[in-house]
Amino acid sequence: FYQFRDTLTVAMRLPTNNILYCTGADFIGPYIPYFLAGYLVARRIEIPRTALVNVLCAAVVAASIAFPIWLDLFYNEANGGGIHWYSSSLPILFGSIGLFILFKNVAGTCAYAPKWVVLLSRCSFGMFLTHVFFIFAAKAAMAHFGVSLGIYASAAVFYAFSFCASFAFTALLS
């Protein structure tokens, strides 16, 4: 992707702040551990479906959210020194594994899945591939219109917008 972006920018004499640069620093590479963890949980590792396992998974997810917030609040680390940025984030990785296991355990006990869960599942890979674009598009739009929010409000806006926009985009394409 980098080669395509850089070549097109030079060949067409585009400014370096064109739309192709809204995809972030690294588009797919750092997400490979999440793919592997999800695959292992879904297909290779047999995890007991007990209430204790579900509670432990929920605790891991809660801790993975609370730890970066704690760093922000008490150590004034706006980005935790990279601790909750996607490419170097153990809390996000652990929280994702906890969610994978929790979803597998809960979904595995259902006789059927609601239609919205099936549609969301079918769109999940497309959402994964496009969500970064929508995060950076929302960030650029907020900067363009002079919208200034705190770090947590911005994160909530980016999450909600990227989730809805990438879901709608992927659903329309499928």
Side-chain angles (χ1 to χ4, degrees):
F1 179 77
Y2 283 129
Q3 188 61 47
F4 171 75
R5 178 188 70 186
D6 293 343
T7 303
L8 192 62
T9 299
V10 170
M12 296 184 69
R13 296 189 176 139
L14 298 172
T16 55
N17 61 351
N18 66 61
I19 192 74
L20 297 174
Y21 283 83
C22 289
T23 58
D26 190 351
F27 194 55
I28 295 175
Y31 291 103
I32 291 173
Y34 300 102
F35 272 125
L36 292 176
Y39 172 76
L40 290 173
V41 168
R43 303 280 186 213
R44 297 288 182 192
I45 300 174
E46 194 58 42
I47 298 167
R49 292 181 174 149
T50 64
L52 178 61
V53 169
N54 291 345
V55 168
L56 289 174
C57 288
V60 167
V61 171
S64 70
I65 295 169
F67 180 66
I69 293 172
W70 176 75
L71 281 177
D72 285 348
L73 293 176
F74 295 105
Y75 292 101
N76 200 23
E77 292 278 336
N79 68 354
I83 196 107
H84 56 281
W85 182 244
Y86 72 98
S87 62
S88 60
S89 177
L90 288 178
I92 291 177
L93 179 62
F94 293 146
S96 298
I97 292 171
L99 275 176
F100 293 154
I101 295 169
L102 193 59
F103 287 156
K104 180 181 179 182
N105 286 352
V106 172
T109 60
C110 297
Y112 70 94
K115 289 182 181 182
W116 69 269
V117 172
V118 172
L119 180 61
L120 185 64
S121 177
R122 287 184 182 153
C123 293
S124 63
F125 185 67
M127 292 171 65
F128 159 74
L129 291 176
T130 60
H131 83 281
V132 175
F133 171 77
F134 290 111
I135 289 172
F136 281 94
K139 185 176 178 182
M142 288 173 63
H144 177 75
F145 292 110
V147 177
S148 178
L149 301 172
I151 188 168
Y152 301 112
S154 294
V157 167
F158 296 152
Y159 168 77
F161 177 73
S162 69
F163 182 86
C164 295
S166 62
F167 177 64
F169 181 76
T170 306
L172 288 172
L173 289 179
S174 64

